[in-house]
Amino acid sequence: MRVLVIGSGGREHALVWKIAQSKLVDKIFCAPGNAGIFQQAECLDIKADDIGRLLDFARKEKIDLTVVGPEAPLSNGIVDEFFHYGLRIFGPSQLAAQLEASKVFSKQLMAKYKVPTADFRVFTDAVEAKKYIEQVGAPCVVKADGLAAGKGVVVAKTADEAKAAVTSMMQEKIFGDAGNKIIVEECLSGEEASILVLTDSREVIALASAQDHKRVNDLDQGPNTGGMGAYSPAPVVTKELLKNILETIVYRTIDGLAKEGIDYRGVLYAGVMITKDGPKTLEFNVRFGDPETQAILPRLKSDLVEVMAAVAEQKLNRIRTLDWDSRACVCVVCAAGGYPGDYAKDKEISGLDVAGAMQDVVVFHAGTKLENKKIVTSGGRVLGVTGRGSTIKEAINTTYQAVDKINFEGMHYRLDIGKRAIS
Ligand code: AMP
Ligand code: GLY
């Protein structure tokens, strides 16, 4: 098979790395890829959101399976476009992708089909939203409706902070049209977990559980990021809890979409808060998580390509279960100086070969590129250093030993990835 992977982050490197292990695959392309992906795939000079050129390429090169990493092309309808030309593609349709692209759509669907989530109100008017915030008080959560590169959520400790978020989203339009509508919702507390499932809208297979670390600094301090590290499995997700999450959140959502005439095919990611009243949905993503994927896929023993092709063809019933390595996996993100704010670029990275040669270690690239035969930084999240161990503790030790070998100017990372799983 000829496979095309779309995207350029750590998630896409993990996908390419896993796809390269499939017996079914002869050739992998990646658009646009990065300096790590370059070692396993032919990288193309096509942007991840250039649907027209991606389609031309897939038709001309007779691609057998296209795998979409990021949400933007999904919410812009890449899957519908490929389907139209009879091309096999892994990911949800534009209508299904609204689950991530519109928080209002997602919350209203959850309300209609009784999927547990935080109580919420939708606003199209800033004054009304602020009045409501005065009424309910803090803490509360303000969310922009549309896609905002992971920055559209403000967990406000005070009413003033919440009202300031409304001002910047609705009046100053910091996220453009994504802030035309907003949600004000109840602040939930508890432990978070990411549950990812593969589904063709008829069958559902859960992937191994994982937990992300969203704040930039140790002990969950500082601003939110795309994710500073992850581990799998997440011990907080017991067998019983997983069953509960599947029944009350995942199945109800997929069935609810089906009742609305929307087939969901691809990976569905539920961000869940495990509250004292049971699991509640924080958000849905319509793609693999980043960096959760870097901690999950190294544990997968089954052939990912076979499963993704089955999802795309709505034949997931052919795959009964997935085989998992019982060992734990930890991924530590090495970020550029300044990230998640403005960050430095073009810093040469050293130690990649030494770290990558260590046993039970894989170094996934995210924001890297090749320049004059050297690997330099090109993004905020630069690398996802991933290690395996028979316990989480062992995986943590291995991973940080590998991180110690790597360096670039301004590099920073959290020192407590996975610690939560031990305590
Ligand atoms: P999201 O961009 O929707 O993933 O939200 C980012 C983060 O905000 C989540 O991972 C949670 O930590 C937090 N969050 C979102 N919604 C809520 C909520 N209702 N209560 C508490 N925290 C929340
Ligand atoms: N790790 C969070 C996300 O992928 O959205």
Side-chain angles (χ1 to χ4, degrees), residues 13-59:
H13 191 186
L15 284 165
V16 165
W17 173 85
K18 181 66 189 164
I19 289 167
Q21 292 166 23
S22 169
K23 292 188 300 285
L24 303 170
V25 172
D26 308 307
K27 170 98 187 165
I28 310 173
F29 299 92
C30 187
N34 61 37
I37 291 173
F38 181 78
Q39 289 156 27
Q40 277 126 16
E42 183 176 333
C43 291
L44 309 170
D45 188 16
I46 307 178
K47 292 210 172 84
D49 55 4
D50 192 343
I51 295 178
R53 287 188 62 207
L54 290 167
L55 181 64
D56 287 347
F57 180 83
R59 292 181 71 193

Side-chain angles (χ1 to χ4, degrees), residues 277-393:
D277 304 320
K280 294 195 180 183
T281 320
L282 291 170
E283 58 155 353
F284 286 114
N285 293 317
V286 298
R287 48 167 179 80
F288 285 99
D290 188 342
E292 288 93 329
T293 306
Q294 294 90 304
I296 292 174
L297 289 186
R299 299 187 57 223
L300 179 64
K301 293 203 275 189
S302 311
D303 187 326
L304 182 63
V305 175
E306 194 184 346
V307 191
M308 289 197 292
V311 166
E313 290 180 350
Q314 216 161 36
K315 287 178 181 153
L316 193 54
N317 60 348
R318 286 189 182 166
I319 315 260
R320 291 260 160 68
T321 51
L322 297 176
D323 283 336
W324 295 96
D325 189 332
S326 62
R327 287 179 298 168
C329 198
V330 168
C331 170
V332 172
V333 169
C334 299
Y339 176 81
D342 289 338
Y343 52 82
K345 286 186 188 170
D346 299 317
K347 305 295 178 196
E348 189 178 341
I349 307 170
S350 66
L352 287 169
D353 289 343
V354 183
M358 286 172 58
Q359 203 178 350
D360 289 324
V361 171
V362 197
V363 180
F364 292 120
H365 289 227
T368 68
K369 66 174 182 191
L370 268 176
E371 209 165 71
N372 303 325
K373 296 193 180 145
K374 285 180 179 154
I375 296 179
V376 301
T377 70
S378 66
R381 290 190 290 174
V382 177
L383 301 166
V385 181
T386 302
R388 269 185 288 229
S390 55
T391 60
I392 288 259
K393 211 168 174 174

Side-chain angles (χ1 to χ4, degrees), residues 89-261:
I89 183 163
F90 176 87
S93 66
Q94 186 167 30
L95 282 178
Q98 289 178 94
L99 217 46
E100 176 168 358
S102 168
K103 289 202 154 72
V104 172
F105 172 87
S106 156
K107 293 292 288 194
Q108 285 172 342
L109 187 95
M110 285 191 261
K112 185 164 173 187
Y113 294 99
K114 304 207 166 15
V115 177
T117 187
D119 286 336
F120 71 102
R121 288 271 286 271
V122 178
F123 293 95
T124 49
D125 180 83
V127 177
E128 292 295 319
K130 289 178 193 176
K131 250 196 247 164
Y132 178 72
I133 289 168
E134 283 289 333
Q135 258 176 45
V136 294
C140 65
V141 182
V142 180
K143 299 185 171 182
D145 174 45
L147 294 176
K151 294 183 183 129
V153 174
V154 174
V155 181
K157 290 198 187 79
T158 65
D160 283 342
E161 202 186 326
K163 287 190 283 183
V166 173
T167 303
S168 54
M169 289 178 194
M170 299 194 91
Q171 292 167 313
E172 292 163 3
K173 297 256 175 228
I174 56 167
F175 306 125
D177 287 346
N180 288 351
K181 292 186 209 163
I182 62 152
I183 283 164
V184 179
E185 72 177 30
E186 170 199 10
C187 188
L188 301 174
S189 59
E191 187 88 10
E192 278 184 52
S194 306
I195 301 300
L196 285 80
V197 303
L198 295 169
T199 180
D200 63 357
S201 125
R202 297 173 186 158
E203 305 290 327
V204 175
I205 302 181
L207 297 178
S209 62
Q211 197 165 37
D212 188 6
H213 298 64
K214 289 221 157 91
R215 304 297 187 106
V216 70
N217 296 325
D218 286 6
L219 302 173
D220 297 322
Q221 301 297 309
N224 260 321
T225 68
M228 291 298 287
Y231 59 89
S232 173
V236 62
V237 184
T238 58
K239 240 185 179 159
E240 226 159 65
L241 185 64
L242 177 64
K243 188 166 174 273
N244 182 338
I245 292 171
L246 289 175
E247 281 168 4
T248 63
I249 297 178
V250 175
Y251 302 158
R252 281 185 203 171
T253 301
I254 294 167
D255 292 345
L257 283 169
K259 287 189 181 124
E260 301 291 316

